[in-house]
């Protein structure tokens, strides 16, 4: 019945109003005008890199309010369509209104997630680091599978990718760090930090026994000039060494690889992706700034209950997600309890459903701490 659509439209309109009030659109509009004013200054395009960043900032700011304005207008149009149908007694309008309302509800959920990504660094790209756990070849293969999953995810979205550190093993990788650049990459992937668990019959076991492997994922934001992280030269130890290689003409014959050690925190970063030591130094510094930012944020939150939950999420033995290949197929997020059976599509990078369910749970204020109770996965 056409009358059944009034309640969904009323609810949607009220939900949008609540978000719009929290959004503080006037402040964002003011920021847009101030930023746009910079583009009219003489010599604005002399520094192309800086100018492009300003233009991107304008795009991101507009992206926070303009879609909501459009959604409000679209809901008003749906109301008009509904009222015309009611007034004219035309129940056939229901066929036209149904997909419209469903589309508006889906759009609201998508924008609500984007609205959640309002943290200082959420709009930035990220460094994603994967470490294999105990288990030898099987664990290293699992770390490789995870790295491929995230690379495929980034490729699906058209993000820029670069592997800046790779420690290989005979059966896979011991660790890797991937730089992913794009709008809101860090905001979307920060919830992926934690321990990921694999259950399968190992292809490396001649007796075809089932094995459980773990790999840990860490996500750090790529920082821009608006976020300051103070690194004193005296707190930094710099080591250079020759990059590894498979032999032949591609072996690096110079000390181009770089390792930075931040002495006060013990944080170590390294990069060997470029033949130029200068370029590797710059990448190393960017990665160190990102890790220190995350470290200091953690310290600031140390006294709060929120930190306790997040710390559990990323501690060893408290997996956030389980991937089961045998005796059945299922991927389950231990925090939101969201699960799917199509494990192959997940391993091919189809993880937006997990990312969105986690962000939606945060948006709704639901508990999202990890859970060790995996009896249903055994």
């Amino acid at each position: 019945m056409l009358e059944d659509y009034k309640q969904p439209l009323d609810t949607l309109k009220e939900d949008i109003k609540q978000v719009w009030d929290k959004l503080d659109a006037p402040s964002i509009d003011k920021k847009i005008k101030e930023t746009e004013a910079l583009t009219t200054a003489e010599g604005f395009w002399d520094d192309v890199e800086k100018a492009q960043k300003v233009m991107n900032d304008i795009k991101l700011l507009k992206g926070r309010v303009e879609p909501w304005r459009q959604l409000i207008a679209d809901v008003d149009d749906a109301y008009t369509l509904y009222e015309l149908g009611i007034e004219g007694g035309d129940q056939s309008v229901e066929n036209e209104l149904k997909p419209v309302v469903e589309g508006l509800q889906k759009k609201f959920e998508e924008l609500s997630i984007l609205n959640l990504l309002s943290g200082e660094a959420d709009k930035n790209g990220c460094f994603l680091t994967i470490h294999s756990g105990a288990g030898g070849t099987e664990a290293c293969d699992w770390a490789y599978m995870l790295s491929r999953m995230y690379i495929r995810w980034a490729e699906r979205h058209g993000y820029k990718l670069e592997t800046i550190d790779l420690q290989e093993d005979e059966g896979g990788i011991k660790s890797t760090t991937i730089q992913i650049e794009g709008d809101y990459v860090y905001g979307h992937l920060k919830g992926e930090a934690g321990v990921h668990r694999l259950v399968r019959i190992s292809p490396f076991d001649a007796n075809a026994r089932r094995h459980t492997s773990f790999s840990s994922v860490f996500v750090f934001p790529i920082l821009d000039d608006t976020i300051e992280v103070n690194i004193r030269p005296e707190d930094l130890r710099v080591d250079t060494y020759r990059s590894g290689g498979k032999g032949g003409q591609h072996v690096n014959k110079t000390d181009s690889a770089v390792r930075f050690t931040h002495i006060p925190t013990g944080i170590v970063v390294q990069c060997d992706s470029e033949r130029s030591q200068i370029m590797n130094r710059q990448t190393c510094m960017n990665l160190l700034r990102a890790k220190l930012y995350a470290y200091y944020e953690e310290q600031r939150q140390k006294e709060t209950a929120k930190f306790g939950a997040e710390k559990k999420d990323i501690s060893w033995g408290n997996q956030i997600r389980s991937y089961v290949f045998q005796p059945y197929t299922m991927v389950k997020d231990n925090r939101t309890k969201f699960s799917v059976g199509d494990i192959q599509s997940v391993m091919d990078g189809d993880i937006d459903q997990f990312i969105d369910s986690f962000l939606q749970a945060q948006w709704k204020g639901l508990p999202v701490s990890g859970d060790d109770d995996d009896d249903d996965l055994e």
Side-chain angles (χ1 to χ4, degrees):
M1 296 290 290
L2 183 59
E3 292 79 3
D4 294 339
Y5 287 93
K6 186 177 189 308
Q7 182 60 43
L9 284 171
D10 286 342
T11 300
L12 186 57
K13 192 168 187 177
E14 180 59 31
D15 289 343
I16 293 172
K17 183 180 182 302
Q18 291 180 5
V19 175
W20 185 255
D21 291 341
K22 294 179 182 178
L23 194 59
D24 192 10
S27 295
I28 297 177
D29 288 337
K30 181 181 178 182
K31 181 64 175 177
I32 290 173
K33 289 181 179 179
E34 292 174 349
T35 309
E36 286 180 332
L38 298 175
T39 66
T40 63
E42 185 177 351
F44 172 73
W45 286 102
D46 290 348
D47 187 336
V48 176
E49 185 176 346
K50 183 177 180 181
Q52 288 177 337
K53 181 184 178 305
V54 171
M55 298 303 293
N56 191 56
D57 287 345
I58 294 173
K59 173 188 170 185
L60 292 176
L61 286 168
K62 288 183 175 180
R64 294 201 61 201
V65 291
E66 290 182 354
W68 285 104
R69 287 196 173 99
Q70 184 60 53
L71 182 60
I72 291 170
D74 290 343
V75 171
D76 288 340
D77 290 343
Y79 260 107
T80 300
L81 179 62
Y82 167 79
E83 291 168 353
L84 287 173
I86 292 294
E87 292 173 3
D90 185 1
Q91 289 295 322
S92 66
V93 172
E94 179 182 356
N95 294 331
E96 184 179 351
L97 192 60
K98 181 180 179 181
V100 170
V101 174
E102 291 176 350
L104 291 173
Q105 290 171 331
K106 182 179 180 181
K107 187 65 175 177
F108 171 75
E109 291 182 359
E110 293 172 351
L111 291 179
S112 295
I113 291 173
L114 185 61
N115 191 54
L116 183 65
L117 306 181
S118 57
E120 184 180 34
D122 282 354
K123 64 182 176 61
N124 298 352
C126 78
F127 295 103
L128 186 142
T129 297
I130 300 171
H131 291 290
S132 64
T137 301
E138 174 72 10
C140 290
D141 185 51
W142 174 225
Y144 165 76
M145 292 167 64
L146 276 179
S147 70
R148 179 185 178 277
M149 181 184 77
Y150 287 114
I151 288 172
R152 293 296 298 272
W153 174 83
E155 290 173 343
R156 282 169 177 251
H157 290 274
Y159 297 138
K160 182 180 177 182
L161 281 164
E162 182 182 359
T163 299
I164 64 174
D165 182 52
L166 177 63
Q167 305 298 316
E168 296 181 287
D169 184 85
E170 183 178 352
I173 59 175
K174 293 181 178 179
S175 68
T176 184
T177 296
I178 306 166
Q179 181 174 318
I180 309 174
E181 295 186 65
D183 294 342
Y184 293 101
V185 171
Y186 174 68
H188 281 99
L189 285 184
K190 63 183 180 181
E192 292 295 293
V195 176
H196 295 244
R197 175 191 186 217
L198 169 69
V199 179
R200 69 170 179 176
I201 294 175
S202 173
F204 306 102
D205 188 333
N207 296 315
R209 291 171 296 188
R210 193 170 60 161
H211 287 242
T212 299
S213 304
F214 298 91
S215 285
S216 54
V217 174
F218 302 88
V219 184
F220 309 98
I222 298 174
L223 303 182
D224 53 32
D225 294 337
T226 64
I227 302 175
E228 293 186 4
V229 176
N230 183 34
I231 302 176
R232 300 188 307 170
E234 59 267 30
D235 290 340
L236 200 61
R237 186 174 76 236
V238 180
D239 299 305
T240 59
Y241 57 98
R242 293 187 181 182
S243 300
K246 297 183 182 300
Q249 62 182 337
H250 299 294
V251 172
N252 197 329
K253 297 180 174 61
T254 62
D255 292 345
S256 61
V258 178
R259 180 185 298 112
F260 285 177
T261 303
H262 187 252
I263 298 172
T265 62
I267 292 175
V268 179
V269 297
Q270 59 189 38
C271 178
D272 59 7
S273 62
E274 303 291 342
R275 290 178 179 268
S276 166
Q277 185 184 118
I278 294 175
M279 296 180 68
N280 284 333
R281 278 175 175 265
Q282 183 59 53
T283 301
C284 245
M285 182 58 71
N286 291 339
L287 180 55
L288 178 60
R289 290 179 68 235
K291 287 196 173 186
L292 284 175
Y293 172 84
Y295 173 83
Y296 292 135
E297 281 295 300
E298 186 177 278
Q299 295 303 307
R300 280 193 285 269
Q301 296 174 4
K302 205 167 188 177
E303 311 250 334
T304 67
K306 178 183 177 184
F307 171 83
E310 290 179 351
K311 187 65 176 178
K312 184 181 179 183
D313 285 347
I314 63 174
S315 63
W316 194 260
N318 293 283
Q319 57 270 11
I320 65 167
R321 192 175 302 148
S322 295
Y323 307 71
V324 183
F325 282 74
Q326 278 98 12
Y328 50 88
T329 60
M330 182 173 72
V331 182
K332 177 183 176 181
D333 194 296
N334 295 21
R335 302 161 300 178
T336 63
K337 312 309 176 188
F338 177 82
S339 64
V340 298
D342 187 359
I343 195 169
Q344 291 302 329
S345 66
V346 172
M347 299 315 300
D348 279 335
D350 185 14
I351 60 173
D352 284 308
Q353 50 200 333
F354 288 96
I355 293 172
D356 290 350
S357 67
F358 178 76
L359 291 173
Q360 285 171 354
Q362 283 191 317
W363 171 256
K364 296 174 182 177
L366 301 176
V368 289
S369 59
D371 187 351
D372 289 338
D373 186 8
D374 275 335
D375 292 341
D376 59 325
L377 298 177
E378 295 297 337

